[in-house]
Amino acid sequence: MTDAKKLKASSGRAGRKNGGTVCIFIFLFVLALFMALPIYLAVVMSIKPSQEWFIFPPKFYAMDPTLDNFREMFRAAGQLWVPFSRYVANSVFVTAAVTLAQCFTASMAAFVLAKGKFKGSRFLNSVIVVSLLYQSNVIYIVQYMVIAKLGMIDTYAALILPSVATPMGVFLMRQSISQIPDAMIEAAKVDGAGMFRTCWNIVMPNQKPALMTLMIFAFQSAWNIQSGSYVFDESLKTLPTAVAQAAASGIARQGVAMAAAVFMLIPPVIFFVAAQKNVIETMAHSGIKD
């Protein structure tokens, strides 16, 4: 059976007519254009010469595209007393540490919450769901006080540790692990496997799509971590902080700021494209039934 026949049969089973399917595709297409518009404008603004920024009415394209904004960004970053490569190394280290740590802690916590039987598990799950709703900024002051009390100001730990545990990561992994049959866990116990071994050797190999999805979210958030008020030593600051400093210094730097935004967007996009197949598998995952 061809793919077209499968699609037609699927639509028929869903009780949806062809007109409804077309409307859904048109709606999704318009929605995709709306979501892609900010990225398109950022790219266009980054290649616009400064004189085109003040044209009225504004143009949605660059009449005389140039890479001067990117050259100016690297020139300004090169004038900082810390080498540009140092900022890149700091960002790569922080991003790798946060991504790996977040995947590990989220997986372990999710396994316990999904398959562990103990008092208060339902309450903890409810807390995690509710915590998805709040903005991280509301705990910024308390977070700073804790980091300062622990003596982590001006260290990499101030950038890494606050991002190690995220409710979104735990929620995502828990939803995926909860579809593993309990019989598989019980069989592992009968064979003498402990909780950690069961999780690491039996459950995690089946969670690759969910883990890759979590890695994409973790990478994207970690790559954009700015030193903020946690790190004052210039040699420990991350690339987003340095690029923001370079874009904000001097006058008429709006084009440079957009070039910096586009430059910071490139690594997460590359990572997403590389792992896109696994993300689609996660979204289409139908689960394993007992």
Side-chain angles (χ1 to χ4, degrees):
M1 183 181 291
T2 62
D3 293 339
K5 290 182 178 177
K6 287 182 178 178
L7 180 60
K8 185 177 180 180
S10 176
S11 297
R13 286 193 297 271
R16 188 169 58 231
K17 296 182 179 179
N18 291 336
T21 302
V22 172
C23 290
I24 290 175
F25 275 103
I26 292 175
F27 172 75
L28 292 177
F29 180 72
V30 173
L31 189 63
L33 288 179
F34 182 75
M35 295 179 67
L37 183 60
I39 299 176
Y40 170 76
L41 290 178
V43 174
V44 169
M45 295 299 183
S46 68
I47 59 175
K48 270 188 177 182
S50 57
Q51 59 269 22
E52 290 188 24
W53 277 75
F54 305 103
I55 293 178
F56 186 83
K59 305 293 184 184
F60 285 90
Y61 56 90
M63 294 184 292
D64 186 18
T66 177
L67 295 178
D68 287 347
N69 291 325
F70 289 92
R71 296 191 190 97
E72 179 65 14
M73 180 192 71
F74 285 109
R75 189 193 66 78
Q79 290 179 342
L80 301 173
W81 70 271
V82 174
F84 189 71
S85 57
R86 176 74 185 192
Y87 295 115
V88 175
N90 290 341
S91 269
V92 171
F93 173 71
V94 170
T95 301
V98 169
T99 302
L100 294 177
Q102 201 173 113
C103 289
F104 180 78
T105 56
S107 302
M108 297 295 109
F111 174 71
V112 173
L113 291 173
K115 296 300 177 184
K117 293 179 175 56
F118 58 94
K119 275 188 176 180
S121 61
R122 295 185 64 178
F123 174 74
L124 287 176
N125 286 323
S126 301
V127 170
I128 289 172
V129 173
V130 172
S131 63
L132 292 172
L133 304 176
Y134 76 85
Q135 282 283 339
S136 59
N137 292 335
V138 300
I139 60 171
Y140 185 78
I141 295 177
V142 178
Q143 199 173 69
Y144 177 84
M145 293 171 66
V146 172
I147 290 175
K149 287 287 184 183
L150 294 176
M152 294 193 300
I153 297 295
D154 259 351
T155 65
Y156 286 123
L159 303 177
I160 296 172
L161 289 184
S163 302
V164 165
T166 61
M168 191 279 293
V170 177
F171 178 77
L172 175 67
M173 292 304 300
R174 180 190 172 277
Q175 292 301 103
S176 180
I177 292 176
S178 62
Q179 299 179 35
I180 296 289
D182 291 338
M184 184 183 293
I185 308 298
E186 295 299 327
K189 287 182 181 177
V190 171
D191 287 344
M195 289 284 284
F196 182 81
R197 187 181 168 192
T198 302
C199 176
W200 192 251
N201 292 347
I202 297 175
V203 175
M204 283 304 115
N206 297 310
Q207 303 301 314
K208 183 182 174 184
L211 274 174
M212 290 301 296
T213 304
L214 177 58
M215 284 182 70
I216 290 174
F217 287 121
F219 184 93
Q220 190 271 337
S221 62
W223 179 253
N224 292 309
I225 286 179
Q226 293 202 20
S227 308
S229 56
Y230 296 139
V231 173
F232 302 98
D233 187 344
E234 197 67 26
S235 63
L236 298 180
K237 290 183 178 179
T238 55
L239 184 59
T241 305
V243 171
Q245 290 174 348
S249 59
I251 58 174
R253 292 294 180 89
Q254 294 302 314
V256 177
M258 295 311 298
V262 172
F263 178 76
M264 294 302 302
L265 188 65
I266 293 174
V269 170
I270 293 175
F271 192 83
F272 174 77
V273 171
Q276 185 181 15
K277 181 182 176 182
N278 292 287
V279 175
I280 294 174
E281 286 181 7
T282 302
M283 301 305 176
H285 189 56
S286 59
I288 304 170
K289 302 298 182 184
D290 283 316

